[in-house]
Amino acid sequence: MNRAPDTRRRRPRNRLAFVVVATLAVVGSLLWHEPSTVSASAGDETAFVAALNQVRAENGLAPFVVNRELSDLARAHAQVMADAGEIFHASPISAGFTGSWKKLGENVGVGANVQVLVDAFIASSGHFANIIDPSFVEIGVGVVWKDSALYTTHRFLQPQGAAPAPTTAPPATTAPPVTTTTVAPLPAPAITSERMIVLLEMLDQVGT
C-alpha cells in the first residue's frame, strides 16, 4: 500500500534551517560592517608642533606656545575637512575663538604623514611665511586621519598687545671685524613624485 509522505518531520528541519540562515545573515552583517575610517591623532599634532618649532629655531625665532583653545578649533576644522573629503579654510578663521587677538593665520593641508606635509608647508612660500612670522607666538594644531590621508589645520595667533617673538641675537664679541661670506640659505625640501600628492590650501591671514 502506498502511503502519503509524512511531512511533519520536515517542518522542524525547515524551521531550524531558516533560523540558522537568519542568524548567519545577522552575524555576517556584523562582520562585514565597515568601521569608522576617521580618527584624530594627538601624537601627530605634537609631532607637527615639534617640527614647526624646529623650523622656527633654525630661523632664529622663539618656539610657538600651544594654545589649547586654538588646538580644539583646529581639530574640529580638520574633522570637517575629512568629512567633506577636501581642504578649505574656515570662514572666518576666528570663528569660535574667545580670546583676544591682533592677528590670526591658518594653514591647511592633506597628505600621507606629518613629515610630508611639513616639507610641503616649508616649500610653499605662503605657508612658510606663516610659520616664520615673528608676530605669531601661539599655535593650535589639529589632525584627523581618514583612511590613509592626514587632514590638518594649523592656526597661528598674535594675541592682542603681544610683542613679536624674539629672535636669537648673535653672540657679542670684541674681536676685530673679519670679512665674512654670505651663504645663501638651503633650498626648501623638494616634493618629489615618489611621495603622495600633497594638497595645500593657500594661506589665510586676518588681523584686527
Side-chain angles (χ1 to χ4, degrees):
M1 177 183 293
N2 294 328
R3 293 183 179 179
D6 185 359
T7 60
R8 288 177 297 178
R9 296 179 180 175
R10 295 180 180 179
R11 288 176 183 172
R13 293 177 181 175
N14 290 339
R15 289 176 183 171
L16 179 60
F18 175 77
V19 172
V20 171
V21 171
T23 303
L24 288 175
V26 173
V27 174
S29 66
L30 293 175
L31 292 176
W32 287 99
H33 182 267
E34 184 176 351
S36 173
T37 57
V38 176
S39 62
S41 174
D44 289 321
E45 292 169 358
T46 300
F48 265 123
V49 173
L52 297 185
N53 278 339
Q54 179 63 36
V55 174
R56 299 267 290 186
E58 292 170 355
N59 286 271
L61 294 170
F64 287 121
V65 175
V66 175
N67 183 300
R68 296 302 176 188
E69 184 179 6
L70 273 186
S71 297
D72 291 341
L73 293 171
R75 190 178 305 113
H77 184 62
Q79 181 72 65
V80 171
M81 294 192 299
D83 291 340
E86 59 180 323
I87 58 172
F88 46 85
H89 286 294
S91 182
I93 61 176
S94 59
F97 185 64
T98 61
S100 62
W101 55 276
K102 184 175 182 180
K103 186 167 71 171
L104 282 169
E106 181 180 76
N107 287 347
V108 295
V110 58
N113 55 53
V114 171
Q115 191 57 56
V116 167
L117 279 165
V118 168
D119 290 349
F121 283 136
I122 294 173
S124 167
S125 59
H127 298 86
F128 186 62
N130 269 349
I131 298 170
I132 63 169
D133 187 335
S135 298
F136 291 137
V137 295
E138 297 183 23
I139 192 172
V141 174
V143 168
V144 169
W145 282 91
K146 183 175 183 180
D147 298 324
S148 59
L150 184 161
Y151 289 80
T152 189
T153 301
H154 299 176
R155 296 270 172 87
F156 306 91
L157 169 71
Q158 179 186 13
Q160 190 69 42
T167 57
T168 303
T173 178
T174 57
V178 295
T179 302
T180 59
T181 302
T182 301
V183 179
L186 295 175
I191 306 303
T192 65
S193 59
E194 287 77 13
R195 289 183 170 178
M196 175 180 175
I197 295 175
V198 178
L199 300 178
L200 301 176
E201 183 76 12
M202 289 305 296
L203 72 92
D204 195 7
Q205 193 176 104
V206 62
T208 57

PDB file of all heavy atoms in Angstrom, residues 67-100:
ATOM      1  N   ASN A  67      48.308  76.833  22.126  1.00  0.00           N
ATOM      2  CA  ASN A  67      47.074  77.390  22.662  1.00  0.00           C
ATOM      3  C   ASN A  67      46.003  76.305  22.581  1.00  0.00           C
ATOM      4  O   ASN A  67      45.648  75.870  21.488  1.00  0.00           O
ATOM      5  CB  ASN A  67      46.666  78.631  21.861  1.00  0.00           C
ATOM      6  CG  ASN A  67      45.424  79.309  22.397  1.00  0.00           C
ATOM      7  OD1 ASN A  67      44.354  78.708  22.460  1.00  0.00           O
ATOM      8  ND2 ASN A  67      45.550  80.573  22.754  1.00  0.00           N
ATOM      9  N   ARG A  68      45.510  75.842  23.719  1.00  0.00           N
ATOM     10  CA  ARG A  68      44.579  74.710  23.745  1.00  0.00           C
ATOM     11  C   ARG A  68      43.270  75.012  23.033  1.00  0.00           C
ATOM     12  O   ARG A  68      42.706  74.145  22.356  1.00  0.00           O
ATOM     13  CB  ARG A  68      44.303  74.303  25.203  1.00  0.00           C
ATOM     14  CG  ARG A  68      45.540  73.789  25.929  1.00  0.00           C
ATOM     15  CD  ARG A  68      46.144  72.600  25.203  1.00  0.00           C
ATOM     16  NE  ARG A  68      47.375  72.140  25.827  1.00  0.00           N
ATOM     17  CZ  ARG A  68      48.176  71.226  25.293  1.00  0.00           C
ATOM     18  NH1 ARG A  68      47.873  70.679  24.136  1.00  0.00           N
ATOM     19  NH2 ARG A  68      49.279  70.865  25.921  1.00  0.00           N
ATOM     20  N   GLU A  69      42.771  76.222  23.189  1.00  0.00           N
ATOM     21  CA  GLU A  69      41.514  76.559  22.507  1.00  0.00           C
ATOM     22  C   GLU A  69      41.699  76.549  20.995  1.00  0.00           C
ATOM     23  O   GLU A  69      40.861  76.023  20.262  1.00  0.00           O
ATOM     24  CB  GLU A  69      40.993  77.922  22.966  1.00  0.00           C
ATOM     25  CG  GLU A  69      39.634  78.272  22.358  1.00  0.00           C
ATOM     26  CD  GLU A  69      39.094  79.614  22.828  1.00  0.00           C
ATOM     27  OE1 GLU A  69      39.825  80.336  23.545  1.00  0.00           O
ATOM     28  OE2 GLU A  69      37.954  79.943  22.456  1.00  0.00           O
ATOM     29  N   LEU A  70      42.812  77.120  20.544  1.00  0.00           N
ATOM     30  CA  LEU A  70      43.106  77.089  19.103  1.00  0.00           C
ATOM     31  C   LEU A  70      43.251  75.658  18.606  1.00  0.00           C
ATOM     32  O   LEU A  70      42.811  75.321  17.507  1.00  0.00           O
ATOM     33  CB  LEU A  70      44.394  77.864  18.799  1.00  0.00           C
ATOM     34  CG  LEU A  70      44.313  79.365  18.541  1.00  0.00           C
ATOM     35  CD1 LEU A  70      45.685  79.879  18.128  1.00  0.00           C
ATOM     36  CD2 LEU A  70      43.275  79.703  17.493  1.00  0.00           C
ATOM     37  N   SER A  71      43.865  74.802  19.420  1.00  0.00           N
ATOM     38  CA  SER A  71      44.054  73.400  19.037  1.00  0.00           C
ATOM     39  C   SER A  71      42.712  72.687  18.878  1.00  0.00           C
ATOM     40  O   SER A  71      42.497  71.933  17.929  1.00  0.00           O
ATOM     41  CB  SER A  71      44.916  72.668  20.065  1.00  0.00           C
ATOM     42  OG  SER A  71      46.217  73.230  20.127  1.00  0.00           O
ATOM     43  N   ASP A  72      41.799  72.934  19.811  1.00  0.00           N
ATOM     44  CA  ASP A  72      40.478  72.315  19.716  1.00  0.00           C
ATOM     45  C   ASP A  72      39.737  72.775  18.463  1.00  0.00           C
ATOM     46  O   ASP A  72      39.099  71.977  17.774  1.00  0.00           O
ATOM     47  CB  ASP A  72      39.647  72.655  20.960  1.00  0.00           C
ATOM     48  CG  ASP A  72      40.174  71.985  22.225  1.00  0.00           C
ATOM     49  OD1 ASP A  72      40.941  71.000  22.100  1.00  0.00           O
ATOM     50  OD2 ASP A  72      39.835  72.449  23.325  1.00  0.00           O
ATOM     51  N   LEU A  73      39.833  74.065  18.163  1.00  0.00           N
ATOM     52  CA  LEU A  73      39.175  74.602  16.972  1.00  0.00           C
ATOM     53  C   LEU A  73      39.834  74.062  15.704  1.00  0.00           C
ATOM     54  O   LEU A  73      39.145  73.764  14.713  1.00  0.00           O
ATOM     55  CB  LEU A  73      39.228  76.133  16.989  1.00  0.00           C
ATOM     56  CG  LEU A  73      38.418  76.816  18.098  1.00  0.00           C
ATOM     57  CD1 LEU A  73      38.723  78.303  18.137  1.00  0.00           C
ATOM     58  CD2 LEU A  73      36.921  76.590  17.884  1.00  0.00           C
ATOM     59  N   ALA A  74      41.163  73.942  15.721  1.00  0.00           N
ATOM     60  CA  ALA A  74      41.882  73.409  14.561  1.00  0.00           C
ATOM     61  C   ALA A  74      41.497  71.958  14.320  1.00  0.00           C
ATOM     62  O   ALA A  74      41.305  71.528  13.167  1.00  0.00           O
ATOM     63  CB  ALA A  74      43.391  73.535  14.766  1.00  0.00           C
ATOM     64  N   ARG A  75      41.368  71.178  15.393  1.00  0.00           N
ATOM     65  CA  ARG A  75      40.981  69.773  15.252  1.00  0.00           C
ATOM     66  C   ARG A  75      39.554  69.646  14.716  1.00  0.00           C
ATOM     67  O   ARG A  75      39.258  68.791  13.883  1.00  0.00           O
ATOM     68  CB  ARG A  75      41.117  69.066  16.599  1.00  0.00           C
ATOM     69  CG  ARG A  75      40.977  67.550  16.512  1.00  0.00           C
ATOM     70  CD  ARG A  75      41.171  66.913  17.874  1.00  0.00           C
ATOM     71  NE  ARG A  75      42.440  67.305  18.462  1.00  0.00           N
ATOM     72  CZ  ARG A  75      42.545  68.073  19.549  1.00  0.00           C
ATOM     73  NH1 ARG A  75      41.460  68.527  20.156  1.00  0.00           N
ATOM     74  NH2 ARG A  75      43.746  68.387  20.017  1.00  0.00           N
ATOM     75  N   ALA A  76      38.668  70.516  15.195  1.00  0.00           N
ATOM     76  CA  ALA A  76      37.285  70.490  14.710  1.00  0.00           C
ATOM     77  C   ALA A  76      37.220  70.800  13.221  1.00  0.00           C
ATOM     78  O   ALA A  76      36.463  70.174  12.468  1.00  0.00           O
ATOM     79  CB  ALA A  76      36.440  71.490  15.501  1.00  0.00           C
ATOM     80  N   HIS A  77      38.048  71.747  12.759  1.00  0.00           N
ATOM     81  CA  HIS A  77      38.036  72.085  11.330  1.00  0.00           C
ATOM     82  C   HIS A  77      38.659  70.972  10.503  1.00  0.00           C
ATOM     83  O   HIS A  77      38.198  70.692   9.387  1.00  0.00           O
ATOM     84  CB  HIS A  77      38.770  73.400  11.082  1.00  0.00           C
ATOM     85  CG  HIS A  77      38.711  73.846   9.657  1.00  0.00           C
ATOM     86  ND1 HIS A  77      37.532  74.156   9.007  1.00  0.00           N
ATOM     87  CD2 HIS A  77      39.692  74.003   8.719  1.00  0.00           C
ATOM     88  CE1 HIS A  77      37.778  74.498   7.761  1.00  0.00           C
ATOM     89  NE2 HIS A  77      39.089  74.401   7.561  1.00  0.00           N
ATOM     90  N   ALA A  78      39.705  70.325  11.038  1.00  0.00           N
ATOM     91  CA  ALA A  78      40.295  69.179  10.332  1.00  0.00           C
ATOM     92  C   ALA A  78      39.258  68.074  10.160  1.00  0.00           C
ATOM     93  O   ALA A  78      39.204  67.396   9.127  1.00  0.00           O
ATOM     94  CB  ALA A  78      41.518  68.664  11.089  1.00  0.00           C
ATOM     95  N   GLN A  79      38.413  67.886  11.174  1.00  0.00           N
ATOM     96  CA  GLN A  79      37.351  66.883  11.092  1.00  0.00           C
ATOM     97  C   GLN A  79      36.348  67.239  10.002  1.00  0.00           C
ATOM     98  O   GLN A  79      35.906  66.377   9.244  1.00  0.00           O
ATOM     99  CB  GLN A  79      36.635  66.781  12.435  1.00  0.00           C
ATOM    100  CG  GLN A  79      35.523  65.748  12.475  1.00  0.00           C
ATOM    101  CD  GLN A  79      36.069  64.331  12.468  1.00  0.00           C
ATOM    102  OE1 GLN A  79      36.729  63.930  13.418  1.00  0.00           O
ATOM    103  NE2 GLN A  79      35.814  63.590  11.419  1.00  0.00           N
ATOM    104  N   VAL A  80      35.995  68.527   9.923  1.00  0.00           N
ATOM    105  CA  VAL A  80      35.063  68.980   8.889  1.00  0.00           C
ATOM    106  C   VAL A  80      35.637  68.710   7.502  1.00  0.00           C
ATOM    107  O   VAL A  80      34.932  68.240   6.597  1.00  0.00           O
ATOM    108  CB  VAL A  80      34.749  70.481   9.067  1.00  0.00           C
ATOM    109  CG1 VAL A  80      33.967  71.022   7.872  1.00  0.00           C
ATOM    110  CG2 VAL A  80      33.955  70.715  10.346  1.00  0.00           C
ATOM    111  N   MET A  81      36.925  68.986   7.316  1.00  0.00           N
ATOM    112  CA  MET A  81      37.562  68.743   6.019  1.00  0.00           C
ATOM    113  C   MET A  81      37.595  67.260   5.695  1.00  0.00           C
ATOM    114  O   MET A  81      37.330  66.851   4.556  1.00  0.00           O
ATOM    115  CB  MET A  81      38.975  69.335   5.998  1.00  0.00           C
ATOM    116  CG  MET A  81      39.040  70.839   6.092  1.00  0.00           C
ATOM    117  SD  MET A  81      40.710  71.523   5.728  1.00  0.00           S
ATOM    118  CE  MET A  81      41.681  70.744   7.028  1.00  0.00           C
ATOM    119  N   ALA A  82      37.936  66.439   6.696  1.00  0.00           N
ATOM    120  CA  ALA A  82      37.988  64.987   6.475  1.00  0.00           C
ATOM    121  C   ALA A  82      36.612  64.456   6.088  1.00  0.00           C
ATOM    122  O   ALA A  82      36.493  63.604   5.200  1.00  0.00           O
ATOM    123  CB  ALA A  82      38.514  64.282   7.723  1.00  0.00           C
ATOM    124  N   ASP A  83      35.578  64.939   6.756  1.00  0.00           N
ATOM    125  CA  ASP A  83      34.216  64.504   6.435  1.00  0.00           C
ATOM    126  C   ASP A  83      33.834  64.891   5.008  1.00  0.00           C
ATOM    127  O   ASP A  83      33.149  64.145   4.312  1.00  0.00           O
ATOM    128  CB  ASP A  83      33.216  65.118   7.416  1.00  0.00           C
ATOM    129  CG  ASP A  83      33.349  64.555   8.820  1.00  0.00           C
ATOM    130  OD1 ASP A  83      33.932  63.453   8.964  1.00  0.00           O
ATOM    131  OD2 ASP A  83      32.886  65.203   9.775  1.00  0.00           O
ATOM    132  N   ALA A  84      34.309  66.071   4.581  1.00  0.00           N
ATOM    133  CA  ALA A  84      33.987  66.555   3.233  1.00  0.00           C
ATOM    134  C   ALA A  84      34.894  65.947   2.170  1.00  0.00           C
ATOM    135  O   ALA A  84      34.574  65.980   0.985  1.00  0.00           O
ATOM    136  CB  ALA A  84      34.093  68.075   3.191  1.00  0.00           C
ATOM    137  N   GLY A  85      36.053  65.413   2.585  1.00  0.00           N
ATOM    138  CA  GLY A  85      36.988  64.846   1.621  1.00  0.00           C
ATOM    139  C   GLY A  85      37.725  65.888   0.816  1.00  0.00           C
ATOM    140  O   GLY A  85      38.218  65.605  -0.277  1.00  0.00           O
ATOM    141  N   GLU A  86      37.841  67.107   1.333  1.00  0.00           N
ATOM    142  CA  GLU A  86      38.568  68.177   0.645  1.00  0.00           C
ATOM    143  C   GLU A  86      39.067  69.172   1.682  1.00  0.00           C
ATOM    144  O   GLU A  86      38.646  69.142   2.844  1.00  0.00           O
ATOM    145  CB  GLU A  86      37.665  68.879  -0.374  1.00  0.00           C
ATOM    146  CG  GLU A  86      36.411  69.500   0.221  1.00  0.00           C
ATOM    147  CD  GLU A  86      35.551  70.167  -0.817  1.00  0.00           C
ATOM    148  OE1 GLU A  86      36.122  70.777  -1.745  1.00  0.00           O
ATOM    149  OE2 GLU A  86      34.317  70.093  -0.721  1.00  0.00           O
ATOM    150  N   ILE A  87      39.984  70.055   1.257  1.00  0.00           N
ATOM    151  CA  ILE A  87      40.537  71.027   2.189  1.00  0.00           C
ATOM    152  C   ILE A  87      40.080  72.422   1.825  1.00  0.00           C
ATOM    153  O   ILE A  87      39.931  72.763   0.640  1.00  0.00           O
ATOM    154  CB  ILE A  87      42.075  70.950   2.241  1.00  0.00           C
ATOM    155  CG1 ILE A  87      42.683  71.175   0.850  1.00  0.00           C
ATOM    156  CG2 ILE A  87      42.532  69.639   2.842  1.00  0.00           C
ATOM    157  CD1 ILE A  87      44.201  71.294   0.877  1.00  0.00           C
ATOM    158  N   PHE A  88      39.884  73.231   2.847  1.00  0.00           N
ATOM    159  CA  PHE A  88      39.429  74.613   2.670  1.00  0.00           C
ATOM    160  C   PHE A  88      39.615  75.325   3.995  1.00  0.00           C
ATOM    161  O   PHE A  88      39.720  74.694   5.050  1.00  0.00           O
ATOM    162  CB  PHE A  88      37.960  74.653   2.239  1.00  0.00           C
ATOM    163  CG  PHE A  88      37.072  73.736   3.043  1.00  0.00           C
ATOM    164  CD1 PHE A  88      36.534  74.137   4.257  1.00  0.00           C
ATOM    165  CD2 PHE A  88      36.808  72.448   2.588  1.00  0.00           C
ATOM    166  CE1 PHE A  88      35.740  73.288   4.996  1.00  0.00           C
ATOM    167  CE2 PHE A  88      36.009  71.589   3.324  1.00  0.00           C
ATOM    168  CZ  PHE A  88      35.472  72.007   4.538  1.00  0.00           C
ATOM    169  N   HIS A  89      39.665  76.657   3.918  1.00  0.00           N
ATOM    170  CA  HIS A  89      39.828  77.438   5.136  1.00  0.00           C
ATOM    171  C   HIS A  89      38.500  77.609   5.848  1.00  0.00           C
ATOM    172  O   HIS A  89      37.434  77.603   5.226  1.00  0.00           O
ATOM    173  CB  HIS A  89      40.401  78.820   4.816  1.00  0.00           C
ATOM    174  CG  HIS A  89      41.858  78.793   4.466  1.00  0.00           C
ATOM    175  ND1 HIS A  89      42.835  78.447   5.378  1.00  0.00           N
ATOM    176  CD2 HIS A  89      42.504  79.054   3.306  1.00  0.00           C
ATOM    177  CE1 HIS A  89      44.026  78.508   4.798  1.00  0.00           C
ATOM    178  NE2 HIS A  89      43.850  78.863   3.534  1.00  0.00           N
ATOM    179  N   ALA A  90      38.580  77.738   7.162  1.00  0.00           N
ATOM    180  CA  ALA A  90      37.394  78.084   7.933  1.00  0.00           C
ATOM    181  C   ALA A  90      36.995  79.508   7.548  1.00  0.00           C
ATOM    182  O   ALA A  90      37.832  80.321   7.166  1.00  0.00           O
ATOM    183  CB  ALA A  90      37.692  78.007   9.424  1.00  0.00           C
ATOM    184  N   SER A  91      35.728  79.776   7.636  1.00  0.00           N
ATOM    185  CA  SER A  91      35.252  81.108   7.266  1.00  0.00           C
ATOM    186  C   SER A  91      34.283  81.626   8.327  1.00  0.00           C
ATOM    187  O   SER A  91      33.136  81.182   8.382  1.00  0.00           O
ATOM    188  CB  SER A  91      34.561  81.058   5.892  1.00  0.00           C
ATOM    189  OG  SER A  91      34.139  82.354   5.502  1.00  0.00           O
ATOM    190  N   PRO A  92      34.786  82.531   9.179  1.00  0.00           N
ATOM    191  CA  PRO A  92      36.150  83.069   9.245  1.00  0.00           C
ATOM    192  C   PRO A  92      37.027  82.158  10.105  1.00  0.00           C
ATOM    193  O   PRO A  92      36.514  81.320  10.851  1.00  0.00           O
ATOM    194  CB  PRO A  92      35.949  84.425   9.912  1.00  0.00           C
ATOM    195  CG  PRO A  92      34.803  84.179  10.856  1.00  0.00           C
ATOM    196  CD  PRO A  92      33.885  83.222  10.125  1.00  0.00           C
ATOM    197  N   ILE A  93      38.322  82.363  10.022  1.00  0.00           N
ATOM    198  CA  ILE A  93      39.222  81.517  10.805  1.00  0.00           C
ATOM    199  C   ILE A  93      39.198  81.887  12.287  1.00  0.00           C
ATOM    200  O   ILE A  93      39.710  81.139  13.107  1.00  0.00           O
ATOM    201  CB  ILE A  93      40.669  81.577  10.271  1.00  0.00           C
ATOM    202  CG1 ILE A  93      41.228  82.999  10.337  1.00  0.00           C
ATOM    203  CG2 ILE A  93      40.739  81.045   8.861  1.00  0.00           C
ATOM    204  CD1 ILE A  93      42.687  83.099   9.910  1.00  0.00           C
ATOM    205  N   SER A  94      38.581  83.001  12.620  1.00  0.00           N
ATOM    206  CA  SER A  94      38.449  83.398  14.019  1.00  0.00           C
ATOM    207  C   SER A  94      37.209  82.802  14.678  1.00  0.00           C
ATOM    208  O   SER A  94      37.016  82.982  15.888  1.00  0.00           O
ATOM    209  CB  SER A  94      38.380  84.924  14.115  1.00  0.00           C
ATOM    210  OG  SER A  94      37.267  85.422  13.376  1.00  0.00           O
ATOM    211  N   ALA A  95      36.378  82.081  13.925  1.00  0.00           N
ATOM    212  CA  ALA A  95      35.117  81.557  14.457  1.00  0.00           C
ATOM    213  C   ALA A  95      35.351  80.662  15.664  1.00  0.00           C
ATOM    214  O   ALA A  95      36.172  79.747  15.618  1.00  0.00           O
ATOM    215  CB  ALA A  95      34.375  80.785  13.376  1.00  0.00           C
ATOM    216  N   GLY A  96      34.663  80.952  16.751  1.00  0.00           N
ATOM    217  CA  GLY A  96      34.744  80.124  17.948  1.00  0.00           C
ATOM    218  C   GLY A  96      35.832  80.512  18.924  1.00  0.00           C
ATOM    219  O   GLY A  96      35.839  80.038  20.064  1.00  0.00           O
ATOM    220  N   PHE A  97      36.777  81.354  18.504  1.00  0.00           N
ATOM    221  CA  PHE A  97      37.876  81.718  19.400  1.00  0.00           C
ATOM    222  C   PHE A  97      37.422  82.829  20.331  1.00  0.00           C
ATOM    223  O   PHE A  97      36.938  83.877  19.892  1.00  0.00           O
ATOM    224  CB  PHE A  97      39.096  82.160  18.599  1.00  0.00           C
ATOM    225  CG  PHE A  97      40.305  82.428  19.457  1.00  0.00           C
ATOM    226  CD1 PHE A  97      40.898  81.405  20.175  1.00  0.00           C
ATOM    227  CD2 PHE A  97      40.837  83.693  19.555  1.00  0.00           C
ATOM    228  CE1 PHE A  97      42.005  81.637  20.981  1.00  0.00           C
ATOM    229  CE2 PHE A  97      41.943  83.946  20.343  1.00  0.00           C
ATOM    230  CZ  PHE A  97      42.528  82.905  21.057  1.00  0.00           C
ATOM    231  N   THR A  98      37.581  82.618  21.633  1.00  0.00           N
ATOM    232  CA  THR A  98      37.074  83.575  22.619  1.00  0.00           C
ATOM    233  C   THR A  98      38.149  84.506  23.164  1.00  0.00           C
ATOM    234  O   THR A  98      37.830  85.455  23.881  1.00  0.00           O
ATOM    235  CB  THR A  98      36.436  82.819  23.801  1.00  0.00           C
ATOM    236  OG1 THR A  98      37.420  81.989  24.433  1.00  0.00           O
ATOM    237  CG2 THR A  98      35.276  81.946  23.332  1.00  0.00           C
ATOM    238  N   GLY A  99      39.421  84.220  22.842  1.00  0.00           N
ATOM    239  CA  GLY A  99      40.493  85.063  23.352  1.00  0.00           C
ATOM    240  C   GLY A  99      40.644  86.339  22.542  1.00  0.00           C
ATOM    241  O   GLY A  99      40.072  86.497  21.452  1.00  0.00           O
ATOM    242  N   SER A 100      41.430  87.263  23.077  1.00  0.00           N
ATOM    243  CA  SER A 100      41.719  88.492  22.344  1.00  0.00           C
ATOM    244  C   SER A 100      42.860  88.235  21.372  1.00  0.00           C
ATOM    245  O   SER A 100      43.771  87.467  21.668  1.00  0.00           O
ATOM    246  CB  SER A 100      42.090  89.618  23.313  1.00  0.00           C
ATOM    247  OG  SER A 100      43.270  89.281  24.031  1.00  0.00           O
TER     248      SER A 100
END
